Amino acid sequence: MAAASKKTYAKRIVVQAAADAFKKLNPAVMIGNPVMFIVEVGTLITLLLAIKPDLFVGSGTGRGYNIAVFVILLFTVLFANFAEALAEGRGKAQADTLRKTKSETTAKLVHKDGSLKQVSSTQLRKGDIIRVDTGEIIPTDGEIVEGLASIDESAITGESAPVIKEAGGDFSSVTGGTRVASDFIVVQVMTDPGESFLDRMIALVEGAKRQKTPNEIALTTLLAVLTMIFLVVIMTLVPMADYLDVKLDIATLIALLVCLIPTTIGGLLSAIGIAGMDRVTQYNVLAMSGKAVEAAGDIDTLILDKTGTITYGNRMASEFMPVSGVSLQEVTQASLRASMKDETPEGRSIVELALKLGAMPGNPADEAAEPVAFTAETRMSGLDLADGTKIRKGAVDAMKRYVAAQGGVIPGNLDETANRIAKAGGTPLAVAIGDRIFGVIYLKDTVKPGLKERFAELRGMGIKTIMCTGDNPLTAATIALEAGVDDFIAEAKPEDKIAAIRKEQQEGKLVAMTGDGTNDAPALAQADVGLAMNSGTMAAKEAANMIDLDSDPTKLLSVVAIGKQLLITRGALTTFSIANDIAKYFAIIPALFILAMPQLQSLNIMNLASPKSAILSALIFNAIIIPLLIPVAMKGVKYRAMSADRLLMRNVLMFGIGGVIVPFAGIKIIDLVLHGLRLA
């Protein structure tokens, strides 16, 4: 059922793209693409020649030939428009879905006297205070100023699990269109109508509103210059042909011009850029501009926060270390008992590790015990059994005072064990039953699996990784070594992050970083690519040029790969397009002049049937290669982590040499078909 629905969805996009291809024939739209605009002008001229063959001086070819040239040119333009419309199609479909999310909602406006008034969401202005209760849609973007609630963000992120948001801190921003799943919140509106996060998403995913990137503008300019050069070349062929007594009619000259100008990349250029943006949105990342995606592909340095990016951010139990006179089994069992009713992530990780090491759960006395929660004052937690036995775990110094107060003896190697854990970057927790300390629990902020390999890939691409952390240098060095980053900044403050970014930029490098807090905003703004977490503050999201809707800081690594794929795809297809022209040159020029200049026979390596057959074959190939390359433009050239030199060599061999060979074969096959059908 899902597959059938997906197929129908894809079919609807294709049908709409086909209709849009005709709408884009509007010259006011086409002039934005100089190459295809020239083709459209040529199409119009050949249409006039098809209607009246002798309309212009030197246009004495037959109506049938003119009609054939017109039809092929028309399809060339339509295929180029179809490629762009198809790329825009998914963005428009996403925009339609978002518009449904942004349906008209009401809001409870809080007045200064505390009273509530139901108003339309369109009436809300920046600075207004609203209340949102369980089950209600949050009408616009804002910051929670009171309350704590679980927020269902599935309409924006596609993730079904609600997230906890509360006033203060780095997880206080809410997005319009999301829903309060439990409790209530009081929100300060942060945007005026039409400026919300959802409004920006709708505008950005619609390809029609996409601004061209600097690289794309530069390439468009280059293609326009090449087109003008070939236009001059074609014009100079006329007096040369007259001198050689070779008749070149207008339709043939237009066909020759269209074959020689870079129509393939001209027709696919916009589709490549739009599809690149679309691939980013498929990863649930909202890029504020195509420039940000391209910059990600050119990144030299990645600056990443340790907590939540490189590590999970929660200290997890890694090892149980017994003190003198205690076995590993005893300290493992004691740690399990001390954590049985501890619902914190650390507590659950201790239970999980103890069970994995063979500890036995299910002690009836523990099940009936009174849990003792951790407090900042005691720095301990545990159980109080019915028989008066107290089981505790906590900070080593706090546990030493606790045991000493009960008359217990402090093990001689306790401090040594705790110091060894601290030097390794971990957190030691002592565990005791009654007045006896059994050992130490080693908690560590675990590095996410697979990151070391991904950082190695980045290193292979020449990208430097720097970890920022507030930890001491010793702990930072340990985590950096385990994660495999190239460098680290310990005890980092917000200004240290900015300084690190500026230092790299002064060396001519492009820098990317992730962040979610208000204190990250200056660094996100300074970075060439700033990826903010959707769960973070509004200040961070406004400073960044990309927002990760899933709030997964490691997503930046995928964004870099997508940016590189976009640049590689554009470069590969440009190489293929220009290489194509070499084969078309060998197909058409000798065929046109061989009768007047028999010396050109050595260049007639394709041995095409006739001049008309050569022109029509090249023209047909020129038209059909565009739709054949649409899947490559949409999906992107497969990206592999390798150095720039190797990547360049690979693409030159595949798309450069391939761009020469494929047209030779394609044009020859088309020529044989036309000759066999006696069409030319």
Side-chain angles (χ1 to χ4, degrees):
M1 187 73 176
S5 175
K6 188 174 180 180
K7 187 175 180 181
T8 303
Y9 172 77
K11 182 180 178 182
R12 189 165 64 246
I13 291 178
V14 170
V15 171
Q16 184 59 50
D20 289 343
F22 284 90
K23 295 177 184 177
K24 288 176 177 288
L25 290 174
N26 182 349
V29 176
M30 292 295 297
I31 201 167
N33 187 337
V35 177
M36 299 316 298
F37 179 71
I38 291 291
V39 179
E40 185 177 42
V41 172
T43 306
L44 178 60
I45 294 173
T46 54
L47 172 61
L48 295 175
L49 291 173
I51 297 171
K52 191 175 182 182
D54 59 349
L55 182 62
F56 303 109
V57 176
S59 57
T61 52
R63 178 177 276 110
Y65 176 75
N66 291 338
I67 291 174
V69 173
F70 161 70
V71 171
I72 297 169
L73 291 182
L74 177 62
F75 274 97
T76 303
V77 178
L78 288 175
F79 285 148
N81 288 350
F82 176 75
E84 183 177 24
L86 193 63
E88 292 173 356
R90 179 171 290 177
K92 289 179 179 177
Q94 289 175 329
D96 290 340
T97 302
L98 291 170
R99 284 194 182 94
K100 291 177 183 176
T101 302
K102 190 180 175 292
S103 57
E104 182 68 23
T105 56
T106 57
K108 295 175 184 174
L109 183 63
V110 180
H111 290 293
K112 290 183 179 180
D113 60 3
S115 62
L116 302 177
K117 179 184 178 182
Q118 289 278 359
V119 298
S120 167
S121 60
T122 57
Q123 294 179 262
L124 296 175
R125 295 293 183 272
K126 190 172 182 178
D128 286 346
I129 304 295
I130 58 175
R131 176 183 169 120
V132 190
D133 292 299
T134 303
E136 294 179 348
I137 300 294
I138 298 173
T140 188
D141 299 353
E143 295 272 0
I144 300 174
V145 294
E146 180 185 339
L148 176 149
S150 59
I151 309 296
D152 177 5
E153 297 185 329
S154 58
I156 302 295
T157 67
E159 177 58 54
S160 58
V163 294
I164 303 298
K165 298 287 185 81
E166 61 181 322
D170 292 341
F171 299 96
S172 60
S173 74
V174 290
T175 305
T178 57
R179 183 176 61 86
V180 175
S182 69
D183 303 294
F184 79 94
I185 49 175
V186 176
V187 177
Q188 181 178 13
V189 177
M190 301 300 290
T191 59
D192 288 324
E195 299 176 357
S196 71
F197 180 72
L198 210 52
D199 289 312
R200 283 185 288 159
M201 280 187 71
I202 291 170
L204 288 164
V205 298
E206 286 187 310
K209 297 181 181 178
R210 183 186 68 94
Q211 290 186 340
K212 289 185 177 181
T213 65
N215 283 348
E216 199 172 341
I217 293 170
L219 185 54
T220 301
T221 304
L222 174 63
L223 296 180
V225 171
L226 288 175
T227 300
M228 294 304 297
I229 291 172
F230 279 113
L231 186 59
V232 173
V233 169
I234 296 302
M235 291 173 65
T236 59
L237 281 179
V238 176
M240 289 173 61
D242 287 342
Y243 177 79
L244 296 170
D245 200 25
V246 175
K247 184 176 175 57
L248 294 180
D249 58 273
I250 292 177
T252 297
L253 290 171
I254 291 172
L256 182 59
L257 174 64
V258 170
C259 285
L260 294 182
I261 64 177
T263 50
T264 305
I265 187 61
L268 295 173
L269 186 58
S270 292
I272 294 168
I274 295 169
M277 292 281 288
D278 179 57
R279 282 193 292 276
V280 173
T281 60
Q282 286 178 37
Y283 274 80
N284 252 2
V285 174
L286 176 62
M288 298 305 176
S289 68
K291 183 179 179 181
V293 180
E294 284 193 357
D298 282 330
I299 284 301
D300 300 296
T301 306
L302 276 180
I303 295 182
L304 306 107
D305 275 331
K306 183 205 79 171
T307 306
T309 303
I310 293 174
T311 65
Y312 283 106
N314 293 323
R315 298 173 303 168
M316 313 291 282
S318 174
E319 186 180 352
F320 300 121
M321 306 176 74
V323 294
S324 302
V326 179
S327 68
L328 176 61
Q329 183 179 357
E330 287 176 316
V331 70
T332 302
Q333 191 68 41
S335 300
L336 173 66
R337 297 182 69 186
S339 306
M340 282 300 295
K341 296 192 176 184
D342 185 350
E343 294 302 319
T344 64
E346 293 89 346
R348 289 195 294 271
S349 74
I350 292 169
V351 171
E352 184 179 343
L353 180 61
L355 293 175
K356 185 177 179 180
L357 294 176
M360 301 299 294
N363 188 322
D366 294 348
E367 296 291 340
E370 183 73 24
V372 176
F374 175 89
T375 66
E377 184 179 350
T378 64
R379 298 165 65 206
M380 293 183 295
S381 65
L383 298 177
D384 284 344
L385 305 187
D387 63 3
T389 302
K390 299 180 185 296
I391 304 175
R392 295 286 187 272
K393 70 174 189 296
V396 174
D397 58 340
M399 291 296 295
K400 285 167 64 176
R401 287 193 299 270
Y402 172 77
V403 169
Q406 297 189 71
V409 178
I410 307 301
N413 65 337
L414 176 64
D415 287 337
E416 179 189 343
T417 303
N419 289 337
R420 192 162 69 247
I421 292 172
K423 287 180 180 179
T427 301
L429 292 182
V431 59
I433 298 178
D435 61 357
R436 183 187 180 194
I437 292 179
F438 279 68
V440 180
I441 303 169
Y442 180 3
L443 296 181
K444 62 182 294 189
D445 195 355
T446 309
V447 173
K448 294 181 178 180
L451 277 187
K452 192 164 190 175
E453 292 74 17
R454 297 191 75 176
F455 289 147
E457 284 183 17
L458 293 172
R459 194 174 299 110
M461 292 184 273
I463 297 176
K464 178 183 178 182
T465 51
I466 300 175
M467 179 187 77
C468 281
T469 176
D471 292 335
N472 63 66
L474 189 60
T475 301
T478 303
I479 297 293
L481 181 64
E482 187 176 346
V485 295
D486 298 310
D487 200 358
F488 65 89
I489 301 172
E491 299 175 344
K493 300 181 286 295
E495 51 268 30
D496 295 328
K497 295 178 184 179
I498 297 178
I501 293 171
R502 286 176 177 165
K503 179 178 179 294
E504 294 292 319
Q505 289 173 333
Q506 285 169 1
E507 295 174 5
K509 299 176 182 178
L510 292 182
V511 184
M513 79 158 288
T514 62
D516 58 7
T518 300
N519 63 340
D520 291 325
L524 288 169
Q526 179 68 38
D528 299 285
V529 177
L531 180 68
M533 303 297 102
N534 190 40
S535 60
T537 62
M538 194 66 67
K541 288 192 278 190
E542 288 178 350
N545 51 23
M546 286 190 182
I547 299 173
D548 177 20
L549 302 180
D550 296 327
S551 299
D552 174 9
T554 61
K555 193 80 68 70
L556 185 57
L557 305 180
S558 299
V559 171
V560 169
I562 293 170
K564 286 192 174 294
Q565 186 185 40
L566 170 61
L567 296 174
I568 290 167
T569 301
R570 186 182 294 150
L573 292 185
T574 301
T575 303
F576 186 88
S577 177
I578 294 174
N580 261 310
D581 296 337
I582 298 173
K584 295 171 196 169
Y585 172 87
F586 278 99
I588 298 177
I589 299 297
L592 288 177
F593 292 96
I594 200 166
L595 293 177
M597 299 180 66
Q599 298 92 330
L600 291 177
Q601 181 63 45
S602 59
L603 295 179
N604 189 21
I605 57 178
M606 300 180 72
N607 196 28
L608 301 180
S610 68
K612 284 188 178 180
S613 175
I615 292 167
L616 292 179
S617 298
L619 209 55
I620 291 171
F621 177 84
N622 192 64
I624 64 175
I625 197 64
I626 293 176
L628 290 177
L629 289 175
I630 286 176
V632 180
M634 296 289 287
K635 190 176 180 181
V637 174
K638 189 172 182 180
Y639 167 69
R640 291 182 177 87
M642 60 178 69
S643 66
D645 291 341
R646 288 183 59 199
L647 202 57
L648 176 63
M649 184 58 65
R650 173 178 172 268
N651 286 336
V652 167
L653 290 173
M654 183 178 296
F655 293 95
I657 297 177
V660 174
I661 295 172
V662 170
F664 272 105
I667 291 171
K668 182 61 179 178
I669 291 170
I670 296 170
D671 175 72
L672 291 173
V673 172
L674 292 178
H675 186 64
L677 296 174
R678 299 186 183 280
L679 296 176

